Amino acid sequence: MNNAPAAITYSGLKPYGQTGTGRTLLVTAQHRQLLDGFKKISEIPSSEGYYAQSITKAVESLRGCTAPVNSFMKNGTPNRRCIVFSGFEIEYETGSYYGGPQTDVIIVDIRITKKQSQTESKPALWNIEYNVDSEEWEKSSKPEPILRATEKLPGTKVKPIKVGINGYANNLDHAASMLPSHISRGEEPAINSLKNSGYNLFYVPQSGSSLKAGWSFLRDLGRTNRIELEAARILAAHMKEAHEQELYVEWTSHRGGSKVLTTAMKLLAQRSIKLQKKQQIFLSDHTSSHFEADIARRAIDMDTSFSKWYNSTPGISQFIGGKALGSAELCCSINELLNHTPNEKRIEKLIDTVAQGKETYIKTIQNGTLAVTLATKFGITIAFASTLAKTLGSTILASIPSLNENYHKSSLDPVKQLTKKIVYRK
C-alpha cells in the first residue's frame, strides 16, 4: 500500500487584469479558488473589498516584477521569495517551469496575517480620527490594506494625505496620541485642522527593549531588526502605491520611525523609483542620521523644497544617532552644494556652508581641554569631541522619555515640561 503524499500540481492562473502580458503565474487548485473568491469580493465597495483588491493586485503585480520593494529572499534559496503586506503574505518561487525564455512565477502559499495586524503585532496602516466627545485620538476598527485618498484628505497638493510613522511607543493607542503633535509641527491651527481631517498612522510594533523611548538605541545603532525591516518593506510598498495613484503625501516620522522611513526610501531608490516631487518627509525627534535620509529622499525625487524638514530636541539619541555627533547638518549642506545646487547659486551656498563650518570650529576651540580628553578616551576627532562636551549637559533633559513625546519648538521645552511635572505633580 503506497502511503506517499500526493504530488502538488500547479496550473496557469488566468489574468485578473485586462491584459495577460508578462510572466506566467502558476497556482494550486486551492489557491485558484481562494483568489477567485477574493476577486469577487474586490468588486464590492467596502473595507473587505479593498482588502481583497489588494491581494489580487499583489498577485497580478508578480507578472511584471518578481522582486518588488516589499519582497524578501529566503536564506539559502536563490529563487524563493516572499512579499509582505500589512494583512497578508505571498510566498513564491521563480524559474522557467514551462521551458520558455520568460521566468515563470509559482505561488507556493498565500498567508492571511490580518489577525496579527489587528492585534498590533505586525506593521500596518491605520486610520486615526479625533473623538470630540472623549477628546482623544482613536484608531479605526481594522487596519487599512491600501493607502488611498478620502474626501477629507484627497491627496492633492493643497490637501495632501498625512501619514505618521511611530518609533518608540507603548502601543498603537500611545503612538496615535503622540503623532498629531509632530505632524502639525506643534502649531495649534494645524492640530485643529488635523482633528477635522484625521490622519493615517503607519504603526511599527515595538519590542520590549524599545519601550524606553530611545535609551536602548545605542546598543542597536546601525542595526535594523526584523520588525523594522519588514515595516520598511511594507512602507515602501505604500509609498509606491501612492506614487502609482499620483497622490500627494506627507510622511512624518517620530523617534525611531526615522530608521524605518529612511530604509523604505532606500528600497525605492534601489528600484530607481522616482516620486516626481509629490511626496515629502519630516523627521521629528529622529534617532537615525538625517544625512542618510537626505541622500535617500533626493535619490527618489521627493519634494525637497521645504528647508525645515527635520526637528529634534538636543537629546543623546538625536545628538549621536540623528546628528552623527553634530556633523549631519554640515554634511547635508555640502551634499546639497555639490550635487543639488545650480551653478549660478553655488557661490551663495558656499558662503553659507563655510559660515556654518566656522561656527562649529569656534565652539571646538572653546571646549579644547575637555575635547582632547574625550577624543583620547573614545577615539573620536577633536571637532566631534568638543561638540559632544558642550552638548552633553543640555541633552540629559531632552533624553528623558516622558519629556520628548510632544513636538519641541526649542531646547527649553523639555525644561518647561519638567518644571510643570515638579510643580503640578504630573
Side-chain angles (χ1 to χ4, degrees), residues 78-135:
N79 62 342
R80 176 70 69 93
R81 303 186 77 93
C82 179
I83 49 176
V84 290
F85 293 84
S86 58
F88 63 94
E89 300 173 351
I90 301 174
E91 189 172 342
Y92 59 98
E93 288 186 349
T94 57
S96 297
Y97 292 95
Y98 279 171
Q102 180 80 337
T103 301
D104 301 322
V105 175
I106 180 169
I107 306 292
V108 177
D109 196 11
I110 299 175
R111 294 185 285 270
I112 307 302
T113 59
K114 222 172 159 187
K115 288 184 178 179
Q116 290 176 266
S117 299
Q118 290 176 336
T119 56
E120 304 172 23
S121 59
K122 188 177 177 67
L125 190 70
W126 294 80
N127 181 251
I128 309 297
E129 299 283 348
Y130 184 75
N131 188 316
V132 179
D133 296 328
S134 65
E135 297 185 344

Side-chain angles (χ1 to χ4, degrees), residues 28 141 234:
T28 63
S141 59
I234 295 174

Side-chain angles (χ1 to χ4, degrees), residues 262 283 286 288-298 309-310 321-324 327-336 339:
T262 302
L283 312 182
H286 48 285
S288 62
S289 171
H290 62 246
F291 175 55
E292 285 190 26
D294 187 42
I295 296 293
R297 69 179 185 141
R298 293 177 187 278
W309 61 278
Y310 61 86
K323 292 190 175 183
S327 68
E329 287 95 339
L330 192 58
C331 288
C332 285
S333 296
I334 294 171
N335 175 62
E336 186 175 356
N339 300 314

Side-chain angles (χ1 to χ4, degrees), residues 47-194:
S47 59
E48 292 299 325
Y50 282 115
Y51 178 72
Q53 183 184 32
S54 65
I55 294 179
T56 54
K57 283 181 65 177
V59 170
E60 281 300 303
S61 69
L62 291 174
R63 294 187 189 276
C65 179
T66 60
V69 292
N70 53 330
S71 67
F72 288 88
M73 180 179 287
K74 188 174 182 180
N75 292 337
T77 56
N79 62 342
R80 176 70 69 93
R81 303 186 77 93
C82 179
I83 49 176
V84 290
F85 293 84
S86 58
F88 63 94
E89 300 173 351
I90 301 174
E91 189 172 342
Y92 59 98
E93 288 186 349
T94 57
S96 297
Y97 292 95
Y98 279 171
Q102 180 80 337
T103 301
D104 301 322
V105 175
I106 180 169
I107 306 292
V108 177
D109 196 11
I110 299 175
R111 294 185 285 270
I112 307 302
T113 59
K114 222 172 159 187
K115 288 184 178 179
Q116 290 176 266
S117 299
Q118 290 176 336
T119 56
E120 304 172 23
S121 59
K122 188 177 177 67
L125 190 70
W126 294 80
N127 181 251
I128 309 297
E129 299 283 348
Y130 184 75
N131 188 316
V132 179
D133 296 328
S134 65
E135 297 185 344
E136 292 182 349
W137 295 91
E138 297 180 349
K139 65 186 179 186
S140 52
S141 59
K142 298 176 182 178
E144 300 289 327
I146 300 173
L147 180 65
R148 53 193 172 92
T150 64
E151 185 178 347
K152 292 182 178 179
L153 288 174
T156 61
K157 192 169 186 178
V158 178
K159 290 185 177 180
I161 296 174
K162 310 275 188 176
V163 185
I165 305 157
N166 69 283
Y168 313 106
N170 295 331
N171 50 39
L172 193 152
D173 290 330
H174 185 209
S177 67
M178 284 194 294
L179 264 298
S181 172
H182 300 274
I183 293 173
S184 59
R185 318 292 187 255
E187 298 293 338
E188 196 65 31
I191 290 179
N192 292 332
S193 177
L194 202 63

